[in-house]
Amino acid sequence: MGDPLREWAWPLVLRADVRVAARDLAAPLAILAVDDESGRPVAELVVAPDGRVGVRSPPGALAAAPLLAWSSARLPSGASAPVAVELELAPGGWVSIQLDGREVLALDGLGGGTRPRPAAVRAGVVDRGVAAEAIEVSVAELVAEAAS
């Protein structure tokens, strides 16, 4: 069976039920990511040390300039129930983050994104070089699909 991401076009939606058991972070941590065919990140859903959620993207991926944008909404630490997280991406267009069905970040009018082909989705503690023991992230039912 082929990689289904190779057949999808932008925009792309990632949906996951996420639970953060503990938070002891010194820097933002990526918990969901979309990589291009070369294994480089196109976009990452990140959690700040204070629990705020945001999006991070290198220059030329979602926009011409590097992107790091934060919502004021926080992922609860130590919550017993998972939070439904949705990240919708359209390179050169928009980014949207929802928590439990409520939009907490919307960026529109992004320009200069090259629309690299999505090739892989990562979930959990996805930052390269970060010890997984620093934080426990549970991701259940990750769904990646083309947005309608």
Side-chain angles (χ1 to χ4, degrees), residues 2-85:
D3 184 346
L5 284 179
R6 293 186 188 278
E7 300 167 10
W8 293 344
W10 296 105
L12 184 67
V13 177
L14 301 180
R15 292 183 187 92
D17 293 330
V18 176
R19 188 174 70 79
V20 178
R23 185 169 34 254
D24 186 18
L25 301 174
L29 176 74
I31 61 171
L32 291 175
V34 177
D35 294 338
D36 67 13
E37 292 176 313
S38 299
R40 293 182 302 258
V42 175
E44 299 171 322
L45 180 78
V46 291
V47 179
D50 66 1
R52 289 176 300 137
V53 294
V55 64
R56 176 171 64 191
S57 179
L62 292 180
L67 179 64
L68 180 59
W70 297 103
S71 74
S72 59
R74 299 182 194 298
L75 228 101
S77 179
S80 58
V83 174
V85 175

Side-chain angles (χ1 to χ4, degrees), residues 78-107:
S80 58
V83 174
V85 175
E86 180 174 301
L87 174 63
E88 185 170 347
L89 308 164
W94 76 90
V95 172
S96 171
I97 298 174
Q98 291 186 18
L99 298 180
D100 283 336
R102 183 175 62 94
E103 188 171 67
V104 297
L105 179 69
L107 303 174

